[in-house]
Amino acid sequence: MRRILTAAAALALLLTGCTAGDEGSDHGVVRLRFQSLAWQKESVDANKQLVKEWNAAHPDVQIDYVQGSWDSVHDQLLTSFEGGEAPDIIHDASDDLADFAYGGHLADLRPLLPERLRADIPARSWETTTFGEGIYGVPFLQEPRVIIANRKILESSGVRVPTPEKPWTWTEFRQIAQDLTRKMGPGRYAVAWPLKEPVSVSLNLGLSAGGRLFHREPDGRVTVRFTEADAVVPGTLHDQVVTDRTAPRTTLGSGGSDTLPGFFAGKYAMVPLGFAYRQQIAQQAPEGFEWTVLPAPAGSAGLTQGVSPQTLSIAEDSPYKKEAVEFLDFFLRPANMVRLARGDWMLPTGTAALADPSLHTAENGWATGAAVAGHLRPAPAQSVRGYPEWKDKVATPAFQEYYSGAIDEAELRERLVEDGNRVLARYQRK
């Protein structure tokens, strides 16, 4: 009996050792989980096809495609990191990475990135995924804000149509909105602002006027200051809604998709939207509806605006970081980056991909977006710890009340600065 038990124990130890050695692989095959947040059919198809092509060419390193969701990604990743079950390759956005990077959940990619990929993506894009001294994601898709306009209303009005080379100024945009609204008649508006998420719109477009709002002090601490430059864009939006009545209050709590029925019906001549909304418009616009893509207005800093690119990161706990980066290098080759960009109706960050002729056609406004791409900069709050709480508890309600006319600019400034700095201070205590 003792000999039987000893043999059984030895066999158990042997089996345990084999299981531990084979974890994450099948008979020597490395398996990596890639969680993608692609959701539009064209984008999902492009992602899955690239995974299929990789798997066919790399039998020893196989990628398992996992479908994630933008709606729940932050909480889902937080839970998976804490439970030790995070995917190896993580699709996210740069403005969601700070806490994960500082928390040690993401791998620093500096010693892993191939030179080709590092050189192809501009330094300004790498800034969006740099926290402290490390790089914690590869920025690969970016989405500027543009103005989608009813071509017939615009052309029949006789107003000057802007181009990336000669955009409207914010002052001119306000005046043109007044002219358009007057010519369109009662119950119709020049512009509809969908401001369900007012903070990113205000901050990112505010860069065009020289606004920053967040300022890093010599000791590394970040404080909020609301200057005249910061007031230009919010002031224009406020005046269009409250003073000029060239934009309706009813859309202030809406998402971009909510404004499209009114846009298609001719109730609004223009809707400022993210570049990717062009797909929805192309698919849903009624027959004969003519639309065009215009650059956002320019300020003292020209067409500059902030973006938070989509990113690909690697979990710090992944035992196969080298293989994961090799997949990213394949996934983000210039031709593949173009496929991903077209699938998501966005712009690639890579210089070689952005030069692709298919992204410079007049059809569906691709050329306008490509012309704006060189003016995109990291979103102002990119690396600010405590930004999510500042946004949710302070900035969102303050901007919503300001745009609706419930508070004036002085109170907006007081709440953003005084209440905001109290929130940020808690995250910056030494």
Side-chain angles (χ1 to χ4, degrees):
M1 180 62 71
R2 282 195 299 270
R3 285 196 299 270
I4 293 172
L5 291 174
T6 301
L11 179 59
L13 285 171
L14 179 61
L15 291 174
T16 301
C18 290
T19 303
D22 288 345
E23 186 177 358
S25 63
D26 298 323
H27 304 294
V29 176
V30 171
R31 304 204 72 90
L32 299 171
R33 287 188 300 148
F34 166 36
Q35 179 170 292
S36 170
L37 302 181
W39 62 277
Q40 300 182 94
K41 184 180 184 303
E42 292 178 59
S43 180
V44 172
D45 290 347
N47 276 261
K48 288 185 174 180
Q49 181 59 35
L50 287 173
V51 168
K52 183 178 179 181
E53 291 172 15
W54 168 274
N55 286 342
H58 300 82
D60 295 335
V61 181
Q62 294 288 284
I63 305 296
D64 295 329
Y65 183 94
V66 179
Q67 186 62 59
S69 169
W70 285 108
D71 293 336
S72 58
V73 65
H74 184 86
D75 291 340
Q76 179 263 321
L77 285 175
L78 189 61
T79 300
S80 66
F81 283 134
E82 292 176 348
E85 298 178 350
D88 299 275
I89 301 165
I90 298 165
H91 182 188
D92 203 350
S94 60
D95 60 356
D96 191 42
L97 299 184
D99 288 342
F100 298 139
Y102 288 122
H105 298 302
L106 302 178
D108 181 358
L109 301 180
R110 287 177 301 167
L112 301 168
L113 286 172
E115 182 56 31
R116 179 207 70 79
L117 188 57
R118 186 191 288 266
D120 185 49
I121 297 175
R124 63 178 180 271
S125 293
W126 286 116
E127 288 177 23
T128 66
T129 57
T130 299
F131 303 95
E133 297 297 322
I135 295 175
Y136 295 93
V138 181
F140 71 108
L141 292 179
Q142 53 192 348
E143 183 182 20
R145 291 188 181 275
V146 294
I147 295 176
I148 310 294
N150 183 313
R151 185 191 297 274
K152 288 184 178 179
I153 292 178
L154 216 61
E155 292 180 349
S156 65
S157 71
V159 302
R160 183 180 77 82
V161 177
T163 65
E165 294 74 30
K166 194 175 181 182
W168 288 329
T169 65
W170 285 102
T171 301
E172 188 179 9
F173 177 50
R174 183 183 174 188
Q175 181 60 55
I176 282 172
Q178 293 173 350
D179 295 342
L180 275 176
T181 301
R182 186 170 57 253
K183 293 177 181 178
M184 290 173 67
R188 303 169 78 195
Y189 300 88
V191 59
W193 283 98
L195 291 177
K196 187 177 182 180
E197 299 289 342
V199 181
S200 63
V201 175
S202 306
L203 268 61
N204 289 337
L205 290 181
L207 287 183
S208 67
R212 281 212 59 86
L213 207 62
F214 295 99
H215 300 265
R216 194 169 294 277
E217 308 299 338
D219 64 358
R221 293 172 181 262
V222 175
T223 58
V224 180
R225 295 200 296 272
F226 191 86
T227 67
E228 289 186 11
D230 292 300
V232 171
V233 172
T236 303
L237 273 62
H238 168 275
D239 290 346
Q240 288 182 329
V241 174
V242 178
T243 306
D244 305 338
R245 300 190 179 183
T246 57
R249 278 188 174 87
T250 53
T251 65
L252 293 179
S254 303
S257 299
D258 300 327
T259 62
L260 295 185
F263 177 60
F264 295 147
K267 187 175 181 179
Y268 320 123
M270 300 178 288
V271 185
L273 293 168
F275 198 52
Y277 275 95
R278 296 171 306 125
Q279 182 189 38
Q280 196 171 340
I281 293 169
Q283 293 175 344
Q284 297 179 6
E287 186 175 353
F289 183 83
E290 297 182 19
W291 56 281
T292 187
V293 178
L294 311 176
S300 61
L303 288 172
T304 300
Q305 61 174 279
V307 290
S308 298
Q310 292 187 24
T311 58
L312 293 168
S313 302
I314 297 172
E316 175 60 28
D317 288 344
S318 173
Y320 302 112
K321 296 182 182 67
K322 176 177 174 292
E323 291 83 356
V325 169
E326 289 172 354
F327 170 70
L328 293 188
D329 190 32
F330 160 81
F331 195 70
L332 299 179
R333 288 176 182 171
N336 293 343
M337 202 182 278
V338 172
R339 293 163 65 181
L340 293 168
R342 292 190 63 84
D344 236 343
W345 288 62
M346 291 190 180
L347 297 171
T349 59
T351 304
L354 190 58
D356 189 276
S358 69
L359 302 181
H360 293 261
T361 62
E363 184 181 10
N364 294 326
W366 281 106
T368 298
V372 172
H375 302 274
L376 302 180
R377 297 294 182 270
Q382 198 68 59
S383 60
V384 177
R385 301 203 71 178
Y387 169 73
E389 182 179 346
W390 177 85
K391 180 185 74 170
D392 294 341
K393 295 183 178 180
V394 176
T396 295
F399 275 119
Q400 287 174 338
E401 291 177 45
Y402 176 60
Y403 290 142
S404 69
I407 63 174
D408 60 14
E409 184 183 301
E411 186 167 346
L412 173 69
R413 176 185 289 105
E414 180 180 345
R415 287 166 63 173
L416 293 178
V417 175
E418 295 186 13
D419 295 348
N421 281 327
R422 278 195 290 269
V423 170
L424 297 188
R426 293 204 306 273
Y427 290 83
Q428 301 182 91
R429 290 172 182 159
K430 294 185 177 180

